Amino acid sequence: MPSKVSVICLCYNHEEFVEAALASVIAQTYPTELIVVDDASSDDSVQRIKGFISKHADRSIQTIFNEKNLGNCKAFNAALELTNAEYIIDLAADDILLPNRVEEGLNNMSTRPEVAINFTNANYIDENGRYVKSHYAVDDKEKSKILVPEGDLFAEILKRYFICPPTLMYRASFLKAIGGYDEELAYEDLDIMLRLSRNHAFSFTDKILVEKRILSTSMASLQYKKGNKQLNSTLRICKKSFEMIQNRTEKRALLQRILYEAKQAFMHKRFLLFAAFITLGFKTILQK
């Protein structure tokens, strides 16, 4: 009988952290399918993964070992095809799921069939696993000090970063219906949240259920550097969003996003991209 929840763990040169990530899936309070994808790591990640699997021979763990690097989006989609689970979590091999992440997600989403994504609060940790801060500041009961929006979030997601991507839990049927991740992109989270939020609700669980590791080599840390393809992907996402906006509120949200990304492009001397964002901004302003 297939598991209700599948965790797809994507690994690329995370030999130091992958075993902790995998162990956090095994430790879930709700039995969870685990699919591990190594995207042609050049370090000792594959050996660490195989060693972990041999220590947990009682668990059925599916693996994909890519011979060449495909990137996050293609690697994830390959794993997505292997599972019939109802819910999906995309776990980077340097992050950690706290033991009740899956159970809490199921409790929320199983009673709310309209929800495409459940997201939560998270703690940020450093390379050594030490606490840095919470994504949403919390009170003494670990509840968010701010009101976190949920429901129809398309405009909010388009306008600003406020959801911690490693906390996402997807309804698989909605995710597969839109074709999974866009394989033309260098990163997935903004695009997939926008495409799913266009027609579906999101829900928030006000608990810290994930630990996100902050590394100097992470994709987020390098996104604006010269030669990095993430800003190109953000431009593509903004162009896709232009085709999705339906009212003035969403138009203003897209303009806010465009202006922010144009500023980043200019500050980091990505002048061709800066010009492309400004052109899209004028196109958006002129849209009726």
Side-chain angles (χ1 to χ4, degrees), residues 24-272:
S24 76
V25 180
I26 298 294
Q28 289 299 302
T29 57
Y30 186 92
T32 303
E33 178 184 57
L34 174 57
I35 303 174
V36 190
V37 184
D38 182 83
D39 200 17
S41 294
S42 58
D43 64 3
D44 200 37
S45 293
V46 171
Q47 287 69 33
R48 298 288 181 92
I49 293 167
K50 290 180 177 179
F52 180 90
I53 292 172
S54 68
K55 293 175 185 175
H56 296 85
D58 58 318
R59 291 290 299 260
S60 176
I61 302 174
Q62 297 190 70
T63 57
I64 300 175
F65 296 113
N66 292 333
E67 293 186 2
K68 73 175 184 177
N69 184 266
L70 301 179
N72 276 17
C73 296
K74 288 183 179 179
F76 176 86
N77 283 348
L80 185 61
E81 292 180 3
L82 297 180
T83 181
N84 293 315
E86 295 179 40
Y87 305 95
I88 306 291
I89 291 176
D90 177 356
L91 175 66
D94 55 344
D95 295 333
I96 292 173
L97 301 179
L98 296 182
N100 55 340
R101 170 60 190 112
V102 168
E103 187 171 3
E104 290 285 351
L106 276 176
N107 289 342
N108 181 286
M109 297 183 79
S110 62
T111 60
R112 302 180 65 177
E114 77 282 5
V115 168
I117 286 179
N118 172 251
F119 65 101
T120 78
N121 203 352
N123 280 341
Y124 292 92
I125 58 175
D126 66 15
E127 294 183 1
N128 299 307
R130 292 176 298 213
Y131 171 82
V132 177
K133 65 176 182 177
S134 299
H135 181 74
Y136 305 116
V138 296
D139 59 23
D140 56 2
K141 296 182 179 179
E142 292 197 340
K143 296 296 183 182
S144 175
K145 290 183 177 181
I146 65 168
L147 179 63
V148 179
E150 56 181 342
D152 178 1
L153 295 183
F154 178 80
E156 284 298 312
I157 294 167
L158 186 55
K159 179 170 60 177
R160 64 189 178 98
Y161 169 77
F162 72 97
I163 295 175
C164 185
T167 71
L168 303 183
M169 182 168 171
Y170 301 104
R171 189 177 303 277
S173 59
F174 292 170
L175 181 61
K176 290 182 176 181
I178 61 169
Y181 293 167
D182 181 345
E183 296 184 2
E184 298 299 315
L185 299 175
Y187 72 101
E188 73 290 335
D189 45 46
L190 176 58
D191 178 71
I192 200 69
M193 286 192 288
L194 286 170
R195 287 194 289 137
L196 284 172
S197 65
R198 176 67 286 173
N199 296 308
H200 304 290
F202 285 22
S203 64
F204 172 63
T205 297
D206 191 5
K207 294 182 180 181
I208 295 169
L209 297 174
V210 175
E211 291 182 336
K212 174 177 171 55
R213 202 178 300 271
I214 304 299
L215 302 173
S216 60
T217 56
S218 68
M219 290 179 66
S221 301
L222 302 173
Q223 62 181 311
Y224 295 113
K225 299 296 183 183
K226 186 175 181 180
N228 190 286
K229 295 180 180 179
Q230 290 188 74
L231 193 55
N232 301 72
S233 289
T234 302
L235 176 61
R236 177 182 168 89
I237 294 166
C238 287
K239 288 180 177 179
K240 291 167 70 175
S241 299
F242 176 83
E243 301 297 332
M244 289 191 282
I245 57 175
Q246 297 175 354
N247 53 53
R248 289 183 178 181
T249 297
E250 294 171 2
K251 181 176 178 177
R252 287 194 296 269
L254 176 57
L255 283 170
Q256 186 167 328
R257 167 71 65 171
I258 289 170
L259 288 173
Y260 173 81
E261 300 298 348
K263 180 180 178 181
Q264 296 301 317
F266 187 83
M267 288 172 56
H268 291 86
K269 300 181 180 180
R270 307 287 296 276
F271 297 124
L272 289 177

